[in-house]
Amino acid sequence: MFARGARVSNAQLVVTLAAVSMVLVACGSARPAAQHSSRRVPSAGVRDPAPLEDPCRAGTPAPADEIGITPDRIVVGVVADVTGPRASFAANWDAMQAFAAACNDRGGIGGRTLEVRLFNTNVLDRRGAIERSCSSTFALVGSAAVFDGAGSDLQTDCAIPDISAVVAEPAHARVPSLVTPFPNPQNQFLVAPQAYLARTQPKAVRRAAMAYLGVGVTALRAKRQIEASRAVGYRFIASDAFPALASPSEIQRVADRIASRDPGYLSVQARVSDLVALQTALAATDAMPPVVDAGPLFYDPSYLEQAQSAAEGTWIQVLTTPLEDTPSVPELERYRTWLARTVPSAVPTAQGVRAWSAALLFAEGARRAGPGLDRASLLAELRGIHEWDGNGIQVPSDPGANRMSSCFAYLRVSRGQFVRAHPARGFSCPRNGVVRLTRDFRHL
């Protein structure tokens, strides 16, 4: 674990700020996929999986000769940016502690207590965290880091199972022992949300604009979205980038350029603070486009607090079950209850839900592997799981085959709150909600 408040250079800080954005906006994996022309294709996970048999229960473990497993416990690690410049994944650590407490309360996994250790990257040293975790834990579960490609060669060499909540960089996504509940291959794009707006707001999307952080994966994701959206009828009249540490005057210039083109639709690939600044500038001159479309990153209380009235009407895509649905989703209620018991100061978040789903997926794989649990048997069982929704807390997906889900939901900001807009419940899962992209984004 690294000391809090480590010093970093200005150059490192600029790169870190950009990387935080690109990880949170992307929030998916990038395993290689065959290159195709831009076209809509059937996707995975459009059926609701059957309710999950509780993987946490008492049992009689068999003797084991495996790293991180003893006769009475399973030690897993969380590699996450918990401290450091713009660290954004403390919620993953909180959720994993809560999951372990909940699971152990029901007997552990097959009679073994689940022990969770934090390997804090301090943002800038994921490689060191991987090196320590490989030799001391059975698996990595619920992890999320900005520079998540660092140390991927070590992961490959030590073959540690990795059930990550967030996968951003291609090097991490190519690790053979990686399985994620949120598959998102880089040569595919979930276009179902854009297609929904094209049907309901056809005039707006024919005059579309994109504003994005012009660095790294964030810029690439903006280009991916533009290509995918064109396949469902969008016409982009503007595409404007701004730097990682954009000044208010630079944001204002982007806002002025957008306003001068009078778009009907605006999408922003950046940080919460960037969208807030841009919307505030547009609102000040009454130039807000009729449709503002934002990704899962912006489903965060901090967005509402910072943007205030400028956020009104914004569409927010979500891939996790909205926290507002807690009363009707027992697994979501379990997450919130045990988070409050285990980390009383923690606030439930979508990022925490992602980590909880990863933990549940790990526990299910371990349950299926049985008393003689080891790394090989765990990975074999995880790769056999092709219908997953975390007991209703996320979009249905196919983690075993790394196939992208076509499912999504839209929230909308109304009177300072996130309100479900589409569908009325659950997720919308159109058959052809995924586009294969022309450009090869896998190794960028």
Side-chain angles (χ1 to χ4, degrees):
M1 198 175 296
F2 292 82
R4 295 174 183 263
R7 297 181 64 184
V8 296
S9 69
N10 288 338
Q12 286 175 314
L13 181 58
V14 170
V15 172
T16 299
L17 295 177
V20 168
S21 172
M22 73 187 186
V23 170
L24 289 173
V25 172
C27 282
S29 72
R31 288 190 185 174
Q35 192 168 354
H36 298 268
S37 60
S38 283
R39 60 186 179 87
R40 298 176 72 182
V41 296
S43 60
V46 297
R47 293 182 298 174
D48 289 333
L52 182 67
E53 182 180 351
D54 190 352
C56 298
R57 63 182 69 178
T60 305
D65 181 19
E66 182 64 274
I67 297 171
I69 294 186
T70 71
D72 60 357
R73 64 178 175 161
I74 302 171
V75 182
V76 300
V78 184
V79 173
D81 302 340
V82 174
T83 62
R86 290 295 181 111
S88 300
F89 298 116
N92 293 64
W93 171 230
D94 295 339
M96 287 301 302
Q97 293 179 86
F99 182 87
C103 192
N104 292 338
D105 184 67
R106 304 197 299 278
I109 300 176
R112 290 188 173 100
T113 298
L114 186 61
E115 178 183 328
V116 182
R117 296 180 183 174
L118 171 64
F119 295 89
N120 184 6
T121 67
N122 203 35
V123 176
L124 300 174
D125 189 20
R126 183 179 186 270
R127 185 177 184 83
I130 291 296
E131 187 172 17
R132 295 190 303 279
S133 65
C134 272
S135 60
S136 61
T137 63
F138 172 61
L140 301 177
V141 185
S143 299
V146 167
F147 300 109
D148 69 342
S152 294
D153 57 328
L154 299 180
Q155 283 185 263
T156 298
D157 290 343
C158 76
I160 187 170
D162 181 359
I163 304 88
S164 280
V166 173
V167 183
E169 296 187 330
H172 183 197
R174 290 193 293 270
V175 171
S177 56
L178 172 69
V179 180
T180 173
F182 294 92
N184 184 23
Q186 288 291 298
N187 271 34
Q188 298 178 20
F189 196 90
L190 173 63
V191 79
Q194 283 75 31
Y196 170 77
L197 291 180
R199 291 194 305 273
T200 59
Q201 313 284 336
K203 184 177 179 181
V205 306
R206 286 196 292 270
R207 292 187 58 81
M210 170 69 73
Y212 62 95
L213 194 66
V215 180
V217 175
T218 306
L220 291 175
R221 181 170 174 83
K223 291 176 173 60
R224 291 171 65 219
Q225 182 177 331
I226 289 172
E227 179 180 329
S229 297
R230 283 173 173 156
V232 294
Y234 284 57
R235 297 176 185 171
F236 282 85
I237 60 172
S239 179
D240 293 295
F242 48 86
L245 294 177
S247 66
S249 62
E250 287 169 323
I251 292 290
Q252 185 64 55
R253 281 195 291 273
V254 173
D256 290 342
R257 287 197 298 269
I258 291 171
S260 70
R261 291 158 181 150
D262 190 28
Y265 168 96
L266 172 65
S267 182
V268 178
Q269 294 285 351
R271 300 167 302 229
V272 167
S273 59
D274 298 319
L275 177 59
V276 169
L278 190 58
Q279 285 188 294
T280 300
L282 289 167
T285 58
D286 197 25
M288 191 79 70
V291 177
V292 179
D293 185 18
L297 163 65
F298 302 101
Y299 178 40
D300 190 301
S302 68
Y303 170 58
L304 299 179
E305 294 165 5
Q306 295 176 45
Q308 298 292 317
S309 61
E312 195 71 10
T314 301
W315 296 82
I316 309 287
Q317 302 169 30
V318 292
L319 304 182
T320 55
T321 300
L323 292 161
E324 291 77 9
D325 289 4
T326 294
S328 61
V329 183
E331 195 66 44
L332 203 55
E333 179 66 45
R334 186 176 290 121
Y335 159 64
R336 298 188 75 146
T337 297
W338 281 95
L339 185 68
R341 291 182 187 178
T342 310
V343 192
S345 62
V347 176
T349 66
Q351 192 57 237
V353 173
R354 293 177 76 102
W356 187 277
S357 186
L360 196 62
L361 180 61
F362 163 78
E364 174 62 10
R367 181 193 71 80
R368 294 187 184 191
L373 176 66
D374 59 19
R375 286 177 170 178
S377 63
L378 172 67
L379 284 170
E381 295 299 339
L382 289 172
R383 288 176 181 135
I385 297 176
H386 298 293
E387 293 183 0
W388 183 259
D389 69 354
N391 253 358
I393 64 174
Q394 67 156 82
V395 293
S397 69
D398 182 348
N402 193 48
R403 293 182 64 199
M404 177 178 280
S405 172
S406 69
C407 302
F408 75 101
Y410 259 128
L411 308 181
R412 208 169 179 199
V413 179
S414 177
R415 298 182 180 181
Q417 297 182 339
F418 294 113
V419 177
R420 180 181 277 276
H422 174 76
R425 45 178 271 182
F427 296 98
S428 175
C429 300
R431 180 180 295 275
N432 294 320
V434 174
V435 166
R436 292 190 185 276
L437 304 173
T438 301
R439 183 176 175 184
D440 187 349
F441 293 94
R442 294 170 294 173
H443 306 289
L444 300 172

